[in-house]
């Protein structure tokens, strides 16, 4: 497969010149006319032949056509299409501004794309989420959540009630590459997984890749969640914000130099700690005892910022950053006991865009990512601290070359220097301090080269073929210079691999196509977890002599069909994925067992597979929009040292997963929305029986994940009200606008299982041992559910 893809790539390179003669290029940037934001994914095409392209992540496009006259259309969802008559007898630079739709009719609530990318592109298992759409969906306590919206798509599941973790086609949460302006986000959730770290007010574009991963992405097995931040309004100053039951947020943006540079600054903070404090400090009126939660507090906050500067029409600079923290604390003034547990992410990205020619675009990035967790305990003159984390320094360069309308070539390189702090402890008792001689850290280098070509062999057959060469080195205190000097001799800590990527599309007619994809992925860093959900205590560890890289092969085949002039999109996809060198903690091992040392001996390794069918029906425009997604799948694990070597279902295995979302424009002032989800219950391990020997209670358990909880289902409804919203031009001059968002989560108050625990019935304080010896106790299961019906209201504003 690897050599076949290589042959295909070289064969097509030889064909470039055949088309290039007597052809010219129209190129430029497309932006939002109101804010000056560069637009991602704008369709640019010739109306007669429907040949075209789309803008890249920075709003740039390049379209090469034969000499002649053309009517070029620029089309983007939610904005008015624009047509330009162009005579190509030389290269043309044309920057375009698209205006917002001001008349709300069935025809222009959502503007369709060119002939529909869903059918015509070679991309498979990829979905774009519109931020404006997810803001109208009902949510928990008014918190708009990017990750929870992604869970409503087929092939993506959650771990249970309230969790924002992503489990994509049988993969774990560490197998998702989550990027924020190209920076890796290692822990994407607040509040132990209930909310994501992404503030929707600062987000411009969300792209999800579930399979057929393009060659420019790597380092993870399952999926990519590529999130682009807004650049900031470069034409006028603007403020947006919202006040909800859980948190408040504020976003400021505006020009630094009008139409040349801009900034955006967005912040969010919860006030759970402030609102709950009066209730936590109360004394129980019956017992006179203080509240058991007195002295405790929790809050999270995040700050997102970005500035950009257009140096010239060929050069642009972007500087963006994110900083977020969760903080849990407890303090008892009576005995001097205090705990503080902070954790969170920090990222920074510096990027330079350069246009070498109308056909060659380059982006160079320097990126910083950091995740850290701390546990601080103090009492009187005693202090104790545990901390862990991962720190990345990354540099990368990416090229986009579009020699003609049939070829889109991408190539580039990246290098990442990882610093792992898997677990360290320090302390103090009086004047005596105890700490390791030095902080235990592990260092690794990771690099990659890639090349891909998205090309049309004919009007019906389109192929995207790519190769990715990845390398990983883990050996003591190393850096970029020792990495580059290292010879090609492989050692136990040195891994080099070639990852082929191939996807193709065959058009059956103008409204339907068949697509297929094949990909190989290696993952060199691993998340070690003892829980079925991603927790801040989970450890990231590198591949080493004892920990081999994870590896996955994925095959996918799909049928795509559109109806009614692309108003409706449908797709049917089947996939099969094989995974090797998956990682789990050994039985009886815990993360704290290897404080200040390597944890390589704590793990056991195995394989897995996942296969399934995904169905998606989506309505793109009209007063009512939304989608129905269904997944039928099975995910299995095989570990020699787990479950007696027998296969067992993965903890996030779901046989059935159904999601229905709908949004309806009731009037100019009211938008209604609803969500319904159904999923097979979690697979968990539970005790099957308990017996008494010599007065001691022994427990017999099911096979690993051998019990299914009851199915998960719920319905949410919501409504967005915009006061005094009128279809006239005066509305453009209003300086202040606001909306009210009302939502009800879990309308019929379904008691979905969060976890199940067992207790022994029949135990009495006076005769406990006697009852156990006589067998007069009975284990009883108790289900814990955390979210009943939850109404919420949020007031949003902008001026």
């Amino acid at each position: 497969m690897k050599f076949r893809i290589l042959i295909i790539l070289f064969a097509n390179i030889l064909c470039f010149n055949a088309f290039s003669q007597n052809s010219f290029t129209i190129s430029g940037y497309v932006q939002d006319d109101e804010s000056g934001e560069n637009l991602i994914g704008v369709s640019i095409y010739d109306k007669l032949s429907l040949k075209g392209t789309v803008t890249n992540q920075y709003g740039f496009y390049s379209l090469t056509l034969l000499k002649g006259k053309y009517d070029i259309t620029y089309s983007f969802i939610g904005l008015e299409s624009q047509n330009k008559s162009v005579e190509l007898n030389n290269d043309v630079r044309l920057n375009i501004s698209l205006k917002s739709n001001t008349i709300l009719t069935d025809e222009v609530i959502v503007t369709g794309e060119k002939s529909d990318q869903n059918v015509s592109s070679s991309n498979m298992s990829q979905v774009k989420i519109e931020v404006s759409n997810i803001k109208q969906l009902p949510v928990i306590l008014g918190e708009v959540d990017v990750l929870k919206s992604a869970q409503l798509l087929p092939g993506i599941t959650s771990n249970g009630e309230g969790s924002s973790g992503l489990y994509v086609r049988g993969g774990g949460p560490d197998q998702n590459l989550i990027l924020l302006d190209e920076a890796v986000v290692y822990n994407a959730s607040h509040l132990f997984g209930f909310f994501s770290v992404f503030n929707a007010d600062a987000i411009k574009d969300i792209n999800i890749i579930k399979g057929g991963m393009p060659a420019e992405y790597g380092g993870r097995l399952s999926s990519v969640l590529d999130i682009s931040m807004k650049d900031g309004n470069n034409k006028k100053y603007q403020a947006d914000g919202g006040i909800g039951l859980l948190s408040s947020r504020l976003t400021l943006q505006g020009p630094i130099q009008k139409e040349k540079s801009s900034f955006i600054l967005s912040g969010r903070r919860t006030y759970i700690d402030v609102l709950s404090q009066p209730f936590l400090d109360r004394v129980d009126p019956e017992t006179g005892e203080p509240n058991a939660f007195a002295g405790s507090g929790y809050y999270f906050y995040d700050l997102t910022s970005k500035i950009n500067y257009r140096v010239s029409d060929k050069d642009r600079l972007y500087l963006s950053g994110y900083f977020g923290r969760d903080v849990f604390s407890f303090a008892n003034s009576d005995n001097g006991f205090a705990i503080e547990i902070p954790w969170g992410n920090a990222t920074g990205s510096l990027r330079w865009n350069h246009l070498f020619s109308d056909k060659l675009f380059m982006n160079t990035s320097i990126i910083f990512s950091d995740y850290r967790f701390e546990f601080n305990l103090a009492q009187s003159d005693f202090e104790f601290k545990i901390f862990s984390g991962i720190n990345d320094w990354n540099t990368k360069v990416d090229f986009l070359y579009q020699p003609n309308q049939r070829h889109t070539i991408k190539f580039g390189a990246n290098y990442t220097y990882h610093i792992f702090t898997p677990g360290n402890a320090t302390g103090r008792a009086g004047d005596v301090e105890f700490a390791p001689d030095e902080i235990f850290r592990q260092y690794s280098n990771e690099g990659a080269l890639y090349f891909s070509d998205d090309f049309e062999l004919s009007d019906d057959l389109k192929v995207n073929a790519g190769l990715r060469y990845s390398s990983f080195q883990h050996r003591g205190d190393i850096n970029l210079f020792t990495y580059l000097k290292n010879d090609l001799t492989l050692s136990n800590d040195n891994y080099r691999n070639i990852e082929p990527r191939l996807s193709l599309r065959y058009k059956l007619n103008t409204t339907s196509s068949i697509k297929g994809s094949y990909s190989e992925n290696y993952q060199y860093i691993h998340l070690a977890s003892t829980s079925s959900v991603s927790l801040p205590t989970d450890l990231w560890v590198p591949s080493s002599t004892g920990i081999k890289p994870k590896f996955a092969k994925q095959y996918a085949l799909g049928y795509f069909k559109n109806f009614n002039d692309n108003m409706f999109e449908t797709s049917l996809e089947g996939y099969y994925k094989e995974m090797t060198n998956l990682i789990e903690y050994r039985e009886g091992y815990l993360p704290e067992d290897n404080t200040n040392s390597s944890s390589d001996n704590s793990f056991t390794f195995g394989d897995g597979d996942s296969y399934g069918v995904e169905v998606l029906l989506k309505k793109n425009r009209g007063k009512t929009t939304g989608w129905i997604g269904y997944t039928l799948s099975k995910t299995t694990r095989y570990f020699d040292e787990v479950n007696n070597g027998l296969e067992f279902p993965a903890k996030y295995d779901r046989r059935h997963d159904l999601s229905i979302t709908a949004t309806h424009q009731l009037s100019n002032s009211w938008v209604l929305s609803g969500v319904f989800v159904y999923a097979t219950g979690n697979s968990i391990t539970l005790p099957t029986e308990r017996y008494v020997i010599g007065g001691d209670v022994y427990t017999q358990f099911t096979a690993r994940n051998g019990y299914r909880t009851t199915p998960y289902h719920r319905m949410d409804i919501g409504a967005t009200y915009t006061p005094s919203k009128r279809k006239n031009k005066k509305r453009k001059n209003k300086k202040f606008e606001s909306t009210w968002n009302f939502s009800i989560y879990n309308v019929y108050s379904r008691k979905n299982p969060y976890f199940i625990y067992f207790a022994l019935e029949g135990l009495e304080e006076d005769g406990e041992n006697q009852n156990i010896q006589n067998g007069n106790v009975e284990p009883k299961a108790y289900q814990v559910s955390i979210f009943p019906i939850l109404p919420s209201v949020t007031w949003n504003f902008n001026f």
Side-chain angles (χ1 to χ4, degrees), residues 36-38 230-234 254 256-257 259-264 306-311 316-320:
E37 285 270 356
N38 290 330
K230 291 180 179 178
D231 299 329
N233 195 319
N234 66 17
I256 299 175
Q257 185 176 352
E259 298 189 4
K260 194 175 183 68
S261 65
S262 62
F263 75 93
I264 183 170
K306 187 174 184 177
I307 59 174
N308 71 90
Y309 179 67
R310 189 178 68 194
V311 181
R316 303 188 181 203
L317 293 172
Y318 301 85
L319 177 63
S320 55

Side-chain angles (χ1 to χ4, degrees), residues 57 77 81 92 123 134 217 245 253 265 317 401 439-440 464 476 505 751 755 762 796 799:
Q57 188 176 357
I77 291 177
S81 296
V92 175
N123 295 333
I134 67 175
Y217 297 106
L245 298 180
Q253 56 182 313
L265 183 65
L317 293 172
Y401 178 50
I439 301 299
F440 177 74
N464 189 320
R505 176 229 68 199
K751 294 182 178 179
F755 65 85
N796 302 300
F799 56 89

Side-chain angles (χ1 to χ4, degrees), residues 100 170 254 267 282 293 442 475 488 549 574 691 697 705 753 755 762 765:
S100 299
R282 287 182 177 177
F293 296 99
Q442 295 174 293
R475 186 183 299 158
L488 297 180
Y691 49 91
V697 178
N705 297 335
F755 65 85
E765 199 169 310

Side-chain angles (χ1 to χ4, degrees), residues 363-376:
N363 177 69
T364 301
S365 306
I366 299 175
I367 304 165
F368 168 79
S369 296
D370 177 81
Y371 171 72
R372 61 182 59 193
F373 167 81
E374 292 183 16
F375 177 89
N376 302 303

Side-chain angles (χ1 to χ4, degrees), residues 385 387 423-427 433-441 595-597:
K385 177 179 180 180
F387 55 95
N424 285 267
T426 61
E433 295 187 1
F434 53 94
D437 294 334
E438 60 179 344
I439 301 299
F440 177 74
R441 291 188 174 94
T595 302
N596 299 330
S597 65

Side-chain angles (χ1 to χ4, degrees), residues 245-314:
L245 298 180
L246 180 68
S247 69
S248 291
R249 62 190 193 280
L250 178 65
T251 300
L252 303 174
Q253 56 182 313
I256 299 175
Q257 185 176 352
K258 197 170 184 179
E259 298 189 4
K260 194 175 183 68
S261 65
S262 62
F263 75 93
I264 183 170
L265 183 65
S266 185
R268 176 175 60 161
R269 192 195 191 278
T270 59
Y271 27 69
I272 305 173
D273 53 330
V274 178
L275 297 180
S276 62
Q277 202 62 49
F279 302 95
L280 296 179
D281 290 342
R282 287 182 177 177
V283 175
D284 191 314
E286 295 183 2
T287 64
E289 296 291 329
N291 190 309
F293 296 99
S296 61
Y298 169 83
Y299 63 91
F300 71 74
Y301 64 91
D302 46 51
L303 181 67
T304 305
S305 61
K306 187 174 184 177
I307 59 174
N308 71 90
Y309 179 67
R310 189 178 68 194
V311 181
S312 66
D313 198 37
K314 291 188 175 182

Side-chain angles (χ1 to χ4, degrees), residues 289-363:
E289 296 291 329
N291 190 309
F293 296 99
S296 61
Y298 169 83
Y299 63 91
F300 71 74
Y301 64 91
D302 46 51
L303 181 67
T304 305
S305 61
K306 187 174 184 177
I307 59 174
N308 71 90
Y309 179 67
R310 189 178 68 194
V311 181
S312 66
D313 198 37
K314 291 188 175 182
D315 295 276
R316 303 188 181 203
L317 293 172
Y318 301 85
L319 177 63
S320 55
Y322 168 87
F323 184 86
R325 283 291 182 269
D326 289 63
V327 181
F328 172 80
S329 61
F330 176 81
N332 188 319
S333 57
D334 294 335
N335 54 27
F337 180 80
I339 293 176
E340 185 181 58
I341 308 175
W343 70 91
N345 303 276
T347 69
S349 303
L350 175 62
R351 293 176 291 173
W352 167 44
N353 293 171
H354 179 68
L355 196 59
F356 287 98
S357 69
D358 294 326
K359 299 179 180 180
L360 182 60
F361 177 91
M362 180 197 72
N363 177 69

Side-chain angles (χ1 to χ4, degrees), residues 178-195:
I178 301 178
L179 302 173
L180 180 64
D181 269 6
E182 299 188 3
V184 176
V185 177
Y186 281 101
N187 189 316
S189 61
H190 285 305
L191 192 57
F192 304 100
F194 288 111
F195 302 103

